[in-house]
């Protein structure tokens, strides 16, 4: 199935190409089990998600199993697929989703629920699980929202609660066996229900009383009355991807992520993650160091992030951080820690953090007063916070970011007013001017399985009032105030606390046009209100207080923590009593651990001290040291075809830079705050145009020696579609004027007479769009050659001059031939040669006229080609 014409019409085709470096493409026909893993949001978000990549590599490690990926399409692709009657496809093989055995959908957050319906609908699959039999893929869910999935439960065959590393293998094995035995869907579901952590929604039925109020969920299968969460005993027991995926486009978290610990037992009473990911299981410092070395070597990322719910609590962080910094900073790899608590920021840790680029220093006080922080069990004081910001400013940070919530239980006007007051105090810890404080705030959403799961949530108007109060008290150039839309928080609260009746609302909202609700550009609460009105459901009811003993839509799903523990913690919250961290102060009785299989896994400084010395990532000199380094300039000629032609120029630059890093090219870097490799690229290629004649110049700190070896090494590190055709020592002077030749195949042969009229004219002005603005350009001075040869292929040669606006080949042909949009998108364009201006007339060198192939190889743009 050819999707090229569709991808040529979307805004960002690189999202859908599937040619990331380290991508895994297994043989379809020999696979006994085929799974497609879906993330129900845009590629930039989904590719940043660690969980999907973990499962992707685990399944593909198994002989005979195949795992591919799909992400929610943007609106432009969705509309094009519908208009042309095409199904949504996987990235790796571009197979329709309905051809797979399993469609595994991540449930990361509530505002992606409509995207799940988009994926199912574009796959040609019925929404309801009961309407799908064994002819359709098994639809499997998992992720944080698996612990309160009732609004989407009807759409899933099975949902996994908890850690997926071990469970995904058991699930896949069960499905593969059922497939081999020819079992029906019902029998398969009964087998899946025996796997620990698997929730089969059709084996449970929601009940309502005479007034329509939720009355609980009743089990329908004997012995299957409650589903307990799956817990992975140790992070070190599961294989980790040695070669993570490297995107070809910029994503939200564009870095190597290493999970150094899972779980947090700080006990913040508002935090669902602290419940559903406990107990703490740290990765050994030796393994972290090994993963860092291998990961940077295999990816070429410029940043590595230490991931955890509370990275600062990692027991061996101090010594590990020193070793990581010593290993990576000389290689220009920064180390980030996205989740740091105020109380864990020791001077030694902050001293290490300052060795990398200092952008913003992020802290999360959550509440404005010590009293309210005691209620939520945050465990930090104002004094702790101000000490941390004082140290951060002193060590060179210029921006402090603070995160707060409003609407927390027991919050008063005094607590609310204290938020901007605290931000002012933070600013005053700065030793001088030029410092900035960014305050971000959101309405608190009481999440299921937390201490505050029965608390009410603020309505939209009250949420706006409190947010505006903060905004109005944070005026001035030194402050920036950002807030999460209370309307989105409202819908999040409804969906996370809702029951199965909301599936009808969800479906109606989707039918009405709701898509990508987590994006403010697309979010429209009115669509949801209209859908709820049509279903006779009052959305506000879901935000109301739930009384003790009142049944909850997630009661049949066991996160592992005793309900009594949550009740005890709620009582302590109202008394302002603090519950300490169990990994430091002993078991606090939450009920999760059996202290045999499920227990905290914590390493100590002695374990870090025993680590072998870090072996530096192999990399030649990068141009730093005493005096100016020598400079060696090389020209690389390369081809750009297939999926690579769908990269933008900025995306291409990132891809090339990372390939250079993986190949350990001895790059020369610019000076300044953000050094970059000294690379000069040729003219930007129009998106969708293939080329056999691209080039770049790169400055190195030492000569390359065996150029053929380096050419082969670079080609090993490039993603599909990019091929280095030649490497040569060069002067480094960029040509200012080029003549570039294109071969263009149109859906129907063009009329040569139109070209003759253009060539005989002295002026031909066309209107083009540049950076959102219309611009008129006379294309005639740029045109050197235009003809149609046998077979209807268009030959076009155009001048490209530095500093002058250029017209793209298809912009020219569109105007000359009056082509409709579909014919423009259906054209195949290849740049076949590029020549520098010479003193004498420049020759026109179309390969078809002078031999595209010479002894079976492509004629290079730098080859001597006979005059046409």
């Amino acid at each position: 199935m050819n999707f090229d014409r569709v991808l040529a019409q979307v805004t960002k085709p690189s999202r859908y190409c599937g040619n990331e470096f380290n991508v895994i493409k297994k043989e379809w026909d020999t696979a006994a089990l085929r799974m497609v893993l879906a993330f129900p949001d845009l590629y930039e978000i989904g590719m940043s998600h660690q969980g999907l990549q973990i499962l992707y590599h685990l399944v593909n490690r198994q002989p005979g199993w195949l795992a591919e990926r799909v992400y929610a399409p943007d609106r432009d692709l969705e509309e094009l697929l519908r208009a042309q009657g095409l199904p949504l496809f996987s990235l790796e093989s571009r197979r329709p989703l309905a051809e797979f055995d399993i469609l595994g959908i991540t449930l990361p957050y509530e505002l992606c629920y409509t995207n799940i319906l988009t994926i199912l609908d574009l796959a040609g699959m019925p929404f309801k699980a009961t309407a799908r039999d064994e002819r359709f893929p098994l639809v499997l869910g998992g992720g944080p929202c698996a612990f309160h999935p009732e609004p989407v439960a009807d759409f899933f065959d099975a949902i996994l609660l908890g850690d997926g590393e071990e469970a995904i293998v058991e699930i896949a094995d069960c499905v593969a066996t059922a497939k081999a035995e020819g079992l029906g869907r019902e029998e398969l579901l009964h087998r899946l229900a025996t796997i620990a952590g698997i929730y089969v929604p059709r084996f449970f039925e929601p009940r309502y009383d005479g007034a329509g109020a939720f009355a609980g969920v009743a089990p329908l299968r004997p012995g299957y009355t409650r589903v307990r969460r799956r817990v992975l005993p140790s992070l070190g027991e599961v294989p980790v991807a040695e070669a993570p995926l490297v995107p070809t486009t910029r994503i939200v978290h564009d870095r190597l992520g290493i999970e150094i610990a899972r779980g947090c037992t700080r006990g913040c009473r508002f935090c669902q993650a602290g419940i559903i990911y406990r107990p703490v299981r740290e990765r050994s410092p030796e393994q972290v160091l090994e993963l860092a070395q291998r990961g940077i070597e295999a990816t070429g990322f410029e940043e590595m992030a230490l991931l955890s719910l509370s990275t600062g609590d990692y027991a061996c962080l101090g010594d590990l951080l020193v070793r990581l910094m010593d290993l990576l900073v000389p290689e220009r790899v920064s180390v980030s820690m996205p989740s740091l608590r105020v109380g864990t920021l020791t001077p030694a840790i902050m001293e290490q953090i300052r060795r990398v680029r200092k952008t913003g220093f992020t802290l999360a006080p959550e509440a404005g007063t010590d009293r309210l922080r005691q209620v939520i069990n945050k465990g930090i004081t104002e004094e702790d916070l101000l000490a941390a910001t004082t140290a951060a400013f002193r060590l060179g940070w210029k921006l402090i970011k603070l995160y707060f919530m409003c609407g927390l239980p027991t919050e008063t006007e005094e607590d609310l007013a204290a938020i901007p007051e605290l931000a002012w105090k933070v600013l005053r810890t700065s030793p001088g001017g030029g410092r900035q404080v960014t305050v971000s705030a959101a309405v608190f959403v009481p999440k299921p399985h937390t201490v505050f799961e029965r608390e009410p949530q603020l309505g939209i108007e009250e949420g706006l009032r409190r947010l505006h109060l903060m905004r109005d008290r944070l005026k001035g150039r030194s402050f920036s105030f950002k807030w999460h839309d209370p309307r989105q928080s409202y819908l999040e609260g409804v969906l996370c606390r809702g029951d199965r009746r909301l599936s009808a609302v969800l479906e109606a909202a989707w039918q009405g046009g709701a898509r990508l609700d987590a994006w403010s550009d697309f979010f429209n609460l009115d669509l949801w209100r209209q859908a709820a009105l049509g279903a006779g459901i009052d959305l506000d009811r879901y935000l109301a207080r739930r009384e003790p003993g009142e049944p909850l839509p997630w009661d049949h799903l066991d996160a592992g923590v005793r309900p009594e523990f949550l009740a005890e913690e709620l009582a302590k919250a109202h008394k302002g009593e603090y519950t300490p961290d169990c990994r430091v102060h002993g078991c606090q009785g939450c009920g999760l651990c059996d202290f045999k299989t499920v227990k905290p896994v914590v390493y100590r400084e002695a374990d870090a001290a025993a680590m072998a010395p870090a072996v530096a990532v192999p990399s030649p000199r990068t141009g730093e040291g005493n005096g100016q380094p020598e400079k060696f300039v090389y020209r690389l000629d390369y081809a750009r075809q297939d999926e690579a032609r769908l990269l933008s120029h900025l995306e291409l630059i990132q891809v090339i830079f990372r390939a250079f890093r993986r190949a350990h090219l001895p790059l020369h870097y610019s000076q300044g705050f953000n050094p970059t490799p000294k690379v000069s690229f040729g003219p930007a290629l129009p998106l969708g145009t293939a080329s056999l004649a691209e080039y770049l110049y790169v400055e190195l700190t030492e000569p390359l020696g065996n150029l053929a070896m380096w050419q082969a090494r670079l080609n090993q590190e490039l993603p599909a579609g990019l091929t280095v055709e030649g490497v040569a020592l060069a002067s480094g002077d960029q040509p200012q004027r080029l003549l570039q030749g294109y071969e263009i195949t149109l859906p129907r042969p063009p009329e040569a007479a139109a070209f003759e009229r253009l060539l005989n004219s002295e002026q031909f002005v066309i209107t083009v769009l540049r950076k959102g603005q219309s611009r008129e350009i006379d294309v005639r001075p740029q045109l050197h050659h235009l003809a149609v040869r046998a077979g209807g292929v268009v030959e076009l040669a155009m001048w490209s001059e530095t500093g002058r606006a250029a017209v793209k080949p298809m912009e020219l042909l569109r105007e000359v031939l009056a082509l409709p949009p579909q014919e423009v998108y259906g054209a195949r364009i290849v740049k076949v040669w590029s020549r520098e201006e010479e003193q004498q007339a420049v020759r026109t060198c179309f390969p078809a006229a002078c031999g595209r192939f010479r002894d079976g190889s492509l004629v290079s743009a730098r080859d001597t080609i006979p005059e046409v």
Side-chain angles (χ1 to χ4, degrees):
M1 194 173 295
N2 192 335
F3 291 97
D4 284 354
R5 183 174 296 189
V6 173
L7 294 183
Q9 301 177 59
V10 302
T11 304
K12 211 169 185 179
S14 53
R15 289 168 167 163
Y16 313 107
C17 288
N19 68 324
E20 301 95 337
F21 192 71
N22 294 329
V23 70
I24 302 171
K25 296 186 178 182
K26 300 182 78 171
E27 183 62 39
W28 177 271
D29 292 334
T30 59
L33 180 87
R34 306 173 183 118
M35 180 184 301
V36 59
L37 299 169
F39 193 92
D41 209 331
L42 298 183
Y43 178 91
E44 294 90 322
I45 305 295
M47 264 295 287
S48 302
H49 187 257
Q50 289 289 305
L52 188 143
Q53 287 214 39
I54 290 171
L55 300 182
Y56 175 79
H57 285 92
L58 280 174
V59 174
N60 278 316
R61 285 176 63 92
Q62 307 297 321
W65 293 358
L66 168 155
E68 300 188 357
R69 295 164 297 133
V70 68
Y71 302 91
D74 206 343
R75 295 302 298 263
D76 55 357
L77 180 60
E78 180 187 350
E79 291 167 3
L80 283 165
L81 292 175
R82 293 191 189 285
Q84 300 189 28
L86 295 173
L88 187 59
F89 51 89
S90 68
L91 268 60
E92 282 77 1
S93 67
R94 295 192 180 176
R95 296 268 183 172
L97 303 189
E99 294 184 8
F100 289 81
D101 300 310
I102 299 175
L103 170 58
I105 303 177
T106 303
L107 295 170
Y109 34 82
E110 295 81 3
L111 296 189
C112 72
Y113 285 173
T114 52
N115 305 334
I116 295 171
L117 298 188
T118 301
I119 290 171
L120 291 174
D121 187 64
L122 289 175
M125 298 169 59
F127 288 159
K128 298 293 179 66
T130 52
R132 300 189 299 262
D133 57 21
E134 57 274 8
R135 294 171 299 173
F136 296 99
L138 179 89
V139 179
L140 176 71
C145 292
F147 289 89
H148 51 274
E150 291 308 286
V152 293
D154 283 341
F155 309 132
F156 286 87
D157 293 299
I159 298 172
L160 173 67
L161 274 65
D163 299 324
E165 287 91 338
E166 295 175 335
I168 192 67
V169 176
E170 296 173 21
I171 294 166
D173 186 59
C174 182
V175 174
T177 301
K179 178 182 176 183
E181 295 176 2
L183 297 185
R185 180 58 47 89
E186 193 71 16
E187 179 58 32
L188 171 60
L189 293 178
H190 279 280
R191 289 191 182 184
L192 286 171
T194 65
I195 296 175
I198 285 291
Y199 168 45
V200 179
R202 73 174 71 180
F203 294 161
F204 292 83
E205 183 179 74
R207 301 288 170 82
Y208 302 91
D209 64 20
F214 178 76
V217 175
L220 303 178
R221 183 174 182 262
Y224 186 61
T225 59
R226 202 157 187 256
V227 180
R228 187 175 174 88
R229 167 193 156 207
R230 188 71 176 257
V231 180
L232 179 69
S234 170
L235 297 184
E237 295 178 2
V238 177
V240 180
E242 295 185 2
L245 294 170
V246 184
T248 56
T249 189
R250 183 71 64 179
I251 62 175
V252 172
H253 298 307
D254 202 7
R255 63 199 182 194
L256 173 67
I258 297 179
E259 185 184 25
I260 65 171
R262 188 175 301 177
C264 175
T265 47
R266 284 283 181 169
C268 295
R269 293 174 176 133
F270 59 84
C271 181
Q272 187 188 55
I275 296 293
I276 65 175
Y277 289 115
R278 60 174 58 193
V280 171
R281 288 146 293 163
E282 294 185 347
R283 195 180 298 280
S284 74
E286 284 187 334
Q287 191 182 27
V288 172
L289 195 62
E290 180 186 357
L291 291 175
Q293 291 174 296
R294 291 207 314 254
I296 292 299
E297 175 83 3
T299 63
F301 280 119
E302 304 83 4
E303 178 183 349
M304 187 199 72
L306 301 178
L307 304 179
S308 167
L309 290 174
S310 182
T311 300
D313 284 326
Y314 183 76
C316 304
L317 183 62
D319 193 72
L320 175 65
L321 200 53
V322 171
R323 292 170 184 263
L324 284 172
M325 293 293 186
D326 290 344
L327 171 72
L328 300 176
V329 170
E331 309 307 324
R332 301 182 182 275
V333 177
S334 61
V335 180
S336 65
M337 291 175 285
S339 181
L340 287 171
R341 285 176 55 91
V342 170
T344 62
L345 292 171
T346 65
I349 290 176
M350 295 185 71
E351 194 68 37
Q352 290 300 319
I353 298 173
R354 70 178 299 213
R355 294 174 61 182
V356 299
R357 293 191 292 270
K358 296 182 284 293
T359 50
F361 196 86
T362 303
L363 300 169
E366 312 292 1
T369 62
D370 285 347
R371 182 202 72 81
L372 190 50
R373 281 191 289 274
Q374 193 79 353
V375 169
I376 64 176
N377 212 54
K378 185 65 181 177
I380 62 170
T381 65
E382 183 175 299
E383 182 180 356
D384 298 329
L385 176 70
L386 298 180
T389 60
T390 299
F393 281 135
R394 187 181 67 248
L395 290 170
W397 274 274
K398 297 181 182 294
L399 171 65
I400 301 291
K401 300 178 183 179
L402 304 174
Y403 286 86
F404 295 92
M405 289 183 286
C406 63
L408 286 163
T410 79
E411 182 179 73
T412 66
E413 291 297 316
E414 198 174 289
D415 296 312
L416 189 64
I419 292 176
E421 290 173 9
L422 183 56
W424 277 99
K425 291 177 183 178
V426 166
L427 183 63
R428 286 194 284 270
T429 63
S430 167
R435 306 298 196 269
Q436 293 284 319
V437 175
T438 295
V439 174
S440 297
V443 171
F444 165 62
V445 178
K447 291 283 187 173
H449 303 286
T450 67
V451 175
F452 295 143
E453 65 181 356
R454 294 180 178 273
E455 295 294 313
Q457 180 177 330
L458 294 183
I460 295 172
E461 295 304 319
E462 179 59 19
L464 282 170
R465 184 191 73 81
R466 299 191 191 193
L467 292 168
H468 288 167
L469 184 148
M470 288 184 258
R471 179 198 62 188
D472 294 342
R473 298 186 186 184
L474 289 169
K475 301 290 187 181
R477 290 181 298 178
S478 297
F479 288 106
S480 173
F481 183 68
K482 302 177 181 179
W483 69 88
H484 186 66
D485 189 340
R487 294 170 300 177
Q488 288 178 299
S489 298
Y490 172 89
L491 183 59
E492 180 185 346
V494 168
L495 292 174
C496 81
R497 292 154 67 92
D499 52 56
R500 282 197 206 178
R501 287 178 298 189
L502 285 180
S503 65
V505 177
L506 173 60
E507 190 170 343
W510 180 86
Q511 294 286 0
R515 302 287 193 282
L516 300 167
D517 295 291
W519 298 80
S520 57
D521 292 347
F522 298 105
F523 179 71
N524 185 348
L525 184 60
D526 289 340
L527 295 175
W528 289 87
R529 285 175 163 159
Q530 292 165 11
L533 185 64
I537 291 178
D538 178 10
L539 297 182
D540 291 345
R541 287 183 58 185
Y542 291 104
L543 304 189
R545 179 183 300 280
R546 310 293 174 91
E547 297 301 328
E550 182 180 346
L552 301 171
W554 50 91
D555 279 341
H556 58 302
L557 305 176
D558 185 359
V561 173
R562 295 183 302 113
E564 296 81 7
F565 175 78
L566 298 181
E568 292 161 6
E569 282 295 296
L570 181 62
K572 292 174 73 175
H574 286 288
K575 295 176 184 176
E577 295 180 3
Y578 179 66
T579 299
D581 187 342
C582 68
R583 67 170 160 185
V584 177
H585 299 279
C587 179
Q588 300 298 310
C590 77
L592 176 70
C593 296
D594 61 11
F595 299 101
K596 295 176 182 177
T597 302
V598 179
K599 59 185 177 181
V601 178
V602 179
Y603 292 85
R604 301 300 175 191
E605 289 295 342
D607 300 302
M611 281 192 295
V615 178
V617 175
S619 176
R621 297 193 306 271
T622 55
E624 288 189 340
N626 296 325
Q628 291 295 321
E630 289 191 80
K631 182 174 73 173
F632 301 87
V633 180
Y634 287 82
R635 170 167 168 150
L636 272 62
D637 289 281
Y638 63 96
R640 188 175 167 189
Q641 304 177 84
D642 303 323
E643 293 92 344
R645 66 189 173 81
L646 297 174
L647 300 177
S648 71
H649 190 63
L650 290 177
E651 290 168 342
L652 174 73
I653 291 173
Q654 174 177 276
V655 166
I656 294 289
F657 282 3
R658 287 178 175 169
F660 285 172
R661 293 174 64 87
R662 291 190 296 268
H664 307 301
L665 212 59
L667 297 168
H668 185 256
Y669 282 80
S670 63
Q671 302 299 309
F673 176 73
N674 190 18
T676 56
K678 289 193 172 183
V679 181
S680 180
F681 287 81
L685 197 66
L687 191 66
T689 300
S691 176
L692 307 176
E694 296 302 288
Y695 68 87
L696 61 83
Y697 291 86
V698 56
E699 291 187 18
L700 306 179
T701 60
E702 57 187 61
L704 290 181
N706 187 334
L707 298 184
M709 181 274 289
W710 278 102
Q711 179 179 340
R713 179 183 293 185
L714 286 167
N715 281 328
Q716 288 177 348
E717 303 300 336
L718 286 168
L722 290 171
T723 309
V724 175
E725 301 288 349
V727 181
L729 195 63
S731 66
D733 296 329
Q734 275 268 36
Q736 299 301 300
R737 195 160 187 255
L738 291 170
L739 186 64
Q740 301 179 109
Y742 300 87
E743 289 184 350
I744 303 167
T745 304
L746 299 171
R748 57 185 173 88
E751 296 180 6
F755 293 167
E756 290 295 329
R757 289 193 296 270
L758 171 58
L759 292 170
N760 291 330
S761 67
E762 295 184 358
Q763 187 182 55
F764 191 80
V765 178
I766 68 173
T767 301
V768 297
L769 197 64
R770 295 290 185 270
K771 297 181 179 179
Q773 301 292 323
S774 294
R775 182 172 181 177
E776 290 188 343
I777 299 177
D778 181 10
V779 74
R780 189 61 188 87
Q782 299 179 28
L783 186 60
H784 180 77
H785 172 80
L786 181 61
V788 184
R789 69 167 184 255
V793 176
V794 176
E795 295 177 350
L796 171 65
M798 300 179 69
W799 289 105
S800 173
E801 189 169 348
T802 302
R804 292 191 62 179
V807 171
K808 301 172 185 177
M810 286 312 299
E811 290 176 333
L812 172 63
L813 295 188
R814 180 190 63 203
E815 296 297 324
V816 174
L817 301 173
L819 297 176
Q822 287 305 313
E823 292 195 24
V824 173
Y825 296 130
R828 298 288 297 181
I829 317 165
V830 182
K831 182 163 73 170
V832 290
W833 53 264
S834 177
R835 294 189 60 82
E836 300 177 20
E837 183 177 23
E838 300 171 349
Q839 291 182 348
Q840 300 177 353
V842 177
R843 295 166 293 175
T844 301
C845 332
F846 279 96
C850 54
R852 169 169 293 186
F853 295 97
R854 185 175 296 163
D855 297 329
S857 60
L858 285 172
V859 176
S860 168
R862 296 174 61 82
D863 285 341
T864 301
I865 303 177
E867 184 174 355
V868 174

